Amino acid sequence: MTSATLTIDLRALVRNWRALDALSTGETGAVVKANGYGLGADVVGRALAKVGVRRFFVATALEGTALRDTLGAGPDIFVFSGHMHGDTDAIRAGILTPMLNSVDQMLRHVEALPGHPFGIQLDTGMNRLGMEPSEWFAVRDIAIAQGPALIVSHLACADDADHPMNAHQLETFQAMTDGLDIPRSLAATGGTLLGQAYHFDMTRPGVGLYGGMPFAKALPVVSLDLPIIQVRDVVPGETVGYGNSWVAERDSRIATVSGGYADGLIRAMGANATLYAEDTPCPVVGRVSMDLITADITDLGEVPDSLQLLGKHQTVETVATAAGTIGYEILTSLGHRYHRSIIE
Ligand SMILES: *Cc1c(COP(=O)(O)O)cnc(C)c1O
């Protein structure tokens, strides 16, 4: 096997969903946008539907159509980008529920698909998507008369429990929606962990399901093993990789593994990253190439078949920190060349 193996543990995914569900006062949905945070919206969606998830969230109508093909009729599929120009056929055919973000989207929706379900997304301060308070209060009565399936807003700082923005957004959301007889949702993973005041009728975690922060108790869902293609010995003074950035200081054994920045193993993790041979750390040396990474295996007794980047010794979060980014980006960058092995 010359390609790397990405192992996706669906049992861990389901346990993460159950753990977040146990914290939630209301229903717990699942966000599977960006192809299930890089793990495959089809496998992830099927596994979660099997354990009872009835409401899924995606970013675009096209993602929604693909998910509908996977899940069949039954579960609700909400689209965060709402009803955009050109989305009507996909929304109708996929029985998707667009989260309308503006009066323009609302007009488009009721004109193109009268009677078709929709939700409303409100902006409570993040200034990214959703109707602002003034816009909302202008159309609220008309919108409510149409019977939206769900009203959501999104927290900007929920990964920081002490941030005053959380309470501010909560208050704004309440002011915009209190007294309406429509299901409400404010919390993603971070908001779920902030406590019950943030839960309303439904939580909608994404990254926590996949083993990412801020859900510190999440079980790791992915592991990544990179096969060793070649091994060589170098003497002090010899260099490894592009730009001669690593110079051997001792007699060293270097393994070249399959996997590089074209597989989402971003260059920036470079010298801060470590590969593992079982329990033994093998530092990455030299630059990450497009398809290859070199690691120092001098201290290993035997040359293994592969080295592990993600797994029990190193989480998505550790690798993200080494690369100066966040777990979300490591997950959604995971490449297409991996052999994918699913644990059910
Ligand atoms: C991505 C997203 C989520 C899920 O967020 P996580 O931090 O991954 O749990 C929920 N709601 C909205 C509107 C989103 O864009």
Side-chain angles (χ1 to χ4, degrees):
M1 183 76 66
T2 55
S3 68
T5 299
L6 181 72
T7 305
I8 299 169
D9 186 347
L10 296 177
R11 294 170 313 184
L13 173 92
V14 163
R15 284 170 69 185
N16 289 337
W17 182 82
R18 289 205 164 114
L20 289 166
D21 184 43
L23 294 176
S24 301
T25 50
E27 183 174 348
T28 306
V31 179
V32 298
K33 63 192 180 189
N35 194 28
Y37 288 51
L39 306 192
D42 49 356
V43 286
V44 165
R46 266 195 294 267
L48 292 173
K50 217 159 106 186
V51 296
V53 179
R54 304 312 289 160
R55 299 189 211 278
F56 292 86
F57 294 83
V58 294
T60 66
L62 272 184
E63 289 182 347
T65 325
L67 186 64
R68 178 62 73 202
D69 287 347
T70 298
L71 298 180
D76 288 332
I77 300 175
F78 298 95
V79 181
F80 287 135
S81 58
H83 192 147
M84 290 175 67
H85 185 68
D87 281 347
T88 302
D89 289 346
I91 289 171
R92 183 197 299 112
I95 321 166
L96 308 177
T97 309
M99 301 306 298
L100 305 179
N101 289 296
S102 64
V103 172
D104 278 356
Q105 286 201 347
M106 200 161 97
L107 292 175
R108 180 181 295 131
H109 184 72
V110 296
E111 217 161 87
L113 296 173
H116 186 101
F118 68 94
I120 301 276
Q121 185 155 215
L122 299 177
D123 178 42
T124 51
M126 189 176 183
N127 285 310
R128 192 179 67 167
L129 276 182
M131 294 189 210
E132 303 211 355
S134 57
E135 188 180 15
W136 171 236
F137 285 117
V139 297
R140 192 167 88 158
D141 292 346
I142 303 168
I144 295 304
Q146 308 272 335
L150 181 67
I151 299 179
V152 308
S153 188
H154 195 49
L155 298 169
C157 305
D159 58 340
D160 177 359
D162 297 326
H163 203 295
M165 184 68 167
N166 298 321
H168 169 71
Q169 286 194 266
L170 173 60
E171 222 172 90
T172 307
F173 189 59
Q174 283 167 326
M176 292 171 86
T177 60
D178 271 357
L180 304 176
D181 194 19
I182 309 287
R184 293 185 283 180
S185 174
L186 178 60
T189 304
T192 305
L193 302 169
L194 289 179
Q196 300 189 346
Y198 290 83
H199 293 178
F200 295 91
D201 300 292
M202 195 200 319
T203 54
R204 30 170 231 281
V207 75
L209 306 176
Y210 309 101
M213 289 295 278
F215 187 28
K217 290 187 187 145
L219 301 170
V221 174
V222 290
S223 52
L224 181 61
D225 296 282
L226 310 174
I228 294 179
I229 303 173
Q230 200 182 7
V231 171
R232 75 188 65 245
D233 294 318
V234 297
V235 299
E238 280 197 275
T239 58
V240 172
Y242 283 123
N244 287 1
S245 65
W246 187 81
V247 185
E249 286 174 1
R250 57 171 181 168
D251 285 324
S252 305
R253 177 160 282 189
I254 303 299
T256 303
V257 300
S258 178
Y261 62 77
D263 304 293
L265 307 179
I266 49 187
R267 273 174 96 250
M269 73 179 186
N272 299 319
T274 304
L275 301 179
Y276 282 85
E278 299 290 344
D279 297 331
T280 309
C282 307
V284 169
V285 297
R287 290 192 189 149
V288 173
S289 303
M290 186 183 295
D291 321 295
L292 301 165
I293 293 174
T294 36
D296 184 348
I297 60 164
T298 312
D299 298 329
L300 296 184
E302 261 177 59
V303 178
D305 289 336
S306 63
L307 298 175
Q308 189 167 67
L309 178 66
L310 296 172
K312 71 172 169 171
H313 289 295
Q314 201 160 243
T315 65
V316 164
E317 247 14 87
T318 329
V319 171
T321 302
T325 182
I326 53 177
Y328 296 77
E329 190 176 8
I330 297 296
L331 283 169
T332 55
S333 302
L334 288 169
H336 304 289
R337 292 195 289 196
Y338 300 134
H339 167 69
R340 286 174 182 241
S341 166
I342 310 288
I343 301 174
E344 307 206 39

